[in-house]
Structure formats: structure tokens, C-alpha cells
Amino acid sequence: MTRPEGAWREYGPLELTPILAAALEAFYEHGFHGTPVRDIARRVGQTVPALYYHHENKEGVFTALVEEATSDLAWRVRQAVEEAGEAPEQRLVNVVEAIVLHLAHRTRLAALDFELRHLSPANRKRYAARRKEIEVLVTGIVTDGVERGVFVAKRPAETARALLGMLQSIGRWYHPDGGPLSPDELAERYVDIALMTVGVRKRPPVRVRRSGARSA
């Protein structure tokens, strides 16, 4: 699928099936363990057997949503990095912004990350591989920046993991409709923190105009 330049900053409504949309709300409100299948079926106006026709079980529903979350983040991060050019500081800015915007706009999908212990080992392994791809990408950016003398980080791999852990924690507290910061403002702050972490004091100029679109 070809996406226009800057599409990684654009957010609209999620395109989910009625079952997945209902399940996402239920998991967000009650967590995986606290959401019975009959509650999901009731929300979508179906019977439990009808729901099982589309998904093998509750974990199957949950896994489909996790796949949606990881796929949405993955293409946004890839496009953000591609548009950044070769400068490591711009690539770091773009990837941090892409991750924060995803967490802020897709709060319900992002919250699934804290329920992954309920996945079977096979499904958890597949998700871990997706996360590892982003970790490797960020590690590569930090390493490149250090080698070019742009970043200051004695341990690039640990620095990358620390940055990603910091970003992941946003999902525990951020609510787009109940806080003082918009997604764009939140991204601005975390980009500044990321740059300071690697020793960059002057932020590179924005390459692509931001969108004001918002979506939970």
C-alpha cells in the first residue's frame, strides 16, 4: 500500500470489524482477564457461538487486536525513518515522534501491551519479534549517531532500550481527552527528552508539517 509523505502523522478512525471494536472497548475497560466472551458478544449484538465463528477464542480476538496495534506502529515508524534522511538526529526525532503519536492517538490499542502475559507462548513470541525490530532500529540509529560524533552514549543498545521503555510507559498514564497535552505536544516533549538523553542540545528543523488530526 502506497501512503503519501507524512501519512505517519495522520490519524483517523480505526478500521476494525464490529467484534474487534467491541472487544477493544471491553479490554480497555476491564482488561483481558476481566472481560468474558459473552460481554464482547453482547456489545456487538451476537451470540457467543457466532463470535467463535470468526475467532477461535478470546485469545484469538485479543491476538487480532495486538496484530492491528503492531502493524499500525510498524508502518508508521518505517515511513518516519525513511522520510528523515541520513542524519541520525533527524531519524531519532522522527522515530520517537512516530511512537509517541501512536501511543497518544491509539490509546486503547496501546493499552493492550500491558495485557500480553495472557497470550500463548507462540503468539507472545511473534509480538516480541515485532518489538525487537523497533529496538534494533533505534539501536542502529543511536549507534550511527555515536559513530558520527553526533550522539554521546557509551552504551547504544542500553540507551535505545531505555528510550523505548520511557516511551512505552506513556500508555500507563496518558489520556487524550483528560489531560493538558495534545498528542503533538506530548511528542514534542518526548522528542526533546530523547535528544537530551543522547547529548543533542539543538533540535533539527521539522521536515514535514504536522497534522492536527486526533483520534483515540
Side-chain angles (χ1 to χ4, degrees), residues 11-34:
Y11 281 85
L14 285 169
E15 296 181 0
L16 298 176
T17 66
I19 290 175
L20 292 182
L24 183 59
E25 291 299 320
F27 291 146
Y28 186 69
E29 293 172 9
H30 305 296
F32 179 87
H33 185 70

Side-chain angles (χ1 to χ4, degrees), residues 82-105:
E82 289 171 3
E83 291 181 9
E86 293 301 317
E89 62 269 38
Q90 186 63 60
R91 282 186 285 153
L92 183 63
V93 166
N94 279 24
V95 73
V96 169
E97 183 179 354
I99 292 171
V100 175
L101 290 179
H102 170 82
L103 293 169
H105 283 288

